[in-house]
Amino acid sequence: MELFTGLSFSVLCIQILVGLSKATILFIVASGLTLILGVLRIPNLAHGSLYMIGAFTTYSIATAFSQSSLGFWVALLLAPLAVALIGLIMEQGLFRFLYKRDHLMMLLFTFSFSLVFADLVKMIWGSDYRSLAVPEIFQGSYLLLGMPFPRYNLFLLLLGPLFAAGLWYLTNRTLLGKISRAAAVDREMVGAVGVNVNLVYAAVFVIGCYLAGIGGALVAPTQNITQGMDHSIIIEIFLIVIIGGLGNVWGALLGAVIFGLTDAIGILVAPQFGIVFPYLAVITVLIFRPKGLLKSIW
């Protein structure tokens, strides 16, 4: 069925699925940022750098296994943990002393971290492009509506709901989630009833960094791994967090879906201006909902 000249219904559906698979990675990374933002009130500009480190670490681990399928799964397990360890060192070494500082100071402080991480990545991995093969089990494509759809993108599509459900369980059904939500509202009150708020903050920060590492690991087989990938992702996920509602995990999910879909459809409709579409969507949302689509907890 032809919708427009050269654009069929099946092509549109496949492009929407591609957009949703990209939205999965955006959601995972943005959820880590909004979790830290909502509970710790830190606008972490270094979050994109942690995503980049996750991608490079995934490449190194997978290459140590000759980029075999086993290497990818080991990297998917270990790379986010390595990023989480970096997050723990950052939190325990510096951030826990700065929680009461104003937001502008924290913004500049985390920006300085992003510069440091950029230099460290250049020193360790160099400035060359790196690429990681898609695991053998996800190579090739399935036929959907008569059109090929990459298996790896289908894997990402399946991961999205799992991560959303996991984050819902973490924030609503676990003791850590309930305490962190309470601490986001009134840290002193939570501390007064005997809860170790510093430990809760450290756990939330590490989880947020871990999610950035997972995003970097998952994106590694889909694009070139290079310096600068932190810049593009930090802009995108900050916009996603803003239109979704600052600190709201479900807002991050909604924002990521909007961003991913408008990006995919924009590329299909007007490839030369495709990059503009998600930003137009952001502007449109902010005109009608300046505080985001869902309730901000900031």
PDB file of all heavy atoms in Angstrom, residues 19 145 171 220 247 296:
ATOM      1  N   GLY A  19      13.023   3.276  14.756  1.00  0.00           N
ATOM      2  CA  GLY A  19      13.003   4.412  15.681  1.00  0.00           C
ATOM      3  C   GLY A  19      12.795   3.971  17.117  1.00  0.00           C
ATOM      4  O   GLY A  19      13.430   4.488  18.041  1.00  0.00           O
ATOM      5  N   LEU A 145       6.508  -7.783   7.316  1.00  0.00           N
ATOM      6  CA  LEU A 145       5.693  -7.105   6.302  1.00  0.00           C
ATOM      7  C   LEU A 145       6.397  -7.082   4.951  1.00  0.00           C
ATOM      8  O   LEU A 145       6.302  -6.114   4.187  1.00  0.00           O
ATOM      9  CB  LEU A 145       5.364  -5.667   6.735  1.00  0.00           C
ATOM     10  CG  LEU A 145       4.576  -5.527   8.043  1.00  0.00           C
ATOM     11  CD1 LEU A 145       4.477  -4.068   8.448  1.00  0.00           C
ATOM     12  CD2 LEU A 145       3.192  -6.139   7.892  1.00  0.00           C
ATOM     13  N   THR A 171      11.995   1.428  41.473  1.00  0.00           N
ATOM     14  CA  THR A 171      11.570   2.694  42.088  1.00  0.00           C
ATOM     15  C   THR A 171      10.304   2.571  42.917  1.00  0.00           C
ATOM     16  O   THR A 171      10.058   3.400  43.788  1.00  0.00           O
ATOM     17  CB  THR A 171      11.365   3.766  41.008  1.00  0.00           C
ATOM     18  OG1 THR A 171      10.425   3.285  40.026  1.00  0.00           O
ATOM     19  CG2 THR A 171      12.672   4.117  40.324  1.00  0.00           C
ATOM     20  N   ALA A 220      27.272  -0.058  20.931  1.00  0.00           N
ATOM     21  CA  ALA A 220      28.577  -0.323  20.298  1.00  0.00           C
ATOM     22  C   ALA A 220      28.485  -1.077  18.968  1.00  0.00           C
ATOM     23  O   ALA A 220      29.185  -0.721  18.013  1.00  0.00           O
ATOM     24  CB  ALA A 220      29.490  -1.064  21.284  1.00  0.00           C
ATOM     25  N   GLY A 247      13.563  14.470  36.269  1.00  0.00           N
ATOM     26  CA  GLY A 247      13.569  13.515  37.370  1.00  0.00           C
ATOM     27  C   GLY A 247      12.525  12.422  37.264  1.00  0.00           C
ATOM     28  O   GLY A 247      12.438  11.570  38.144  1.00  0.00           O
ATOM     29  N   SER A 296       7.262  16.926  36.836  1.00  0.00           N
ATOM     30  CA  SER A 296       8.663  17.059  37.217  1.00  0.00           C
ATOM     31  C   SER A 296       8.797  16.936  38.726  1.00  0.00           C
ATOM     32  O   SER A 296       7.964  17.449  39.474  1.00  0.00           O
ATOM     33  CB  SER A 296       9.207  18.416  36.752  1.00  0.00           C
ATOM     34  OG  SER A 296      10.475  18.653  37.324  1.00  0.00           O
TER      35      SER A 296
END
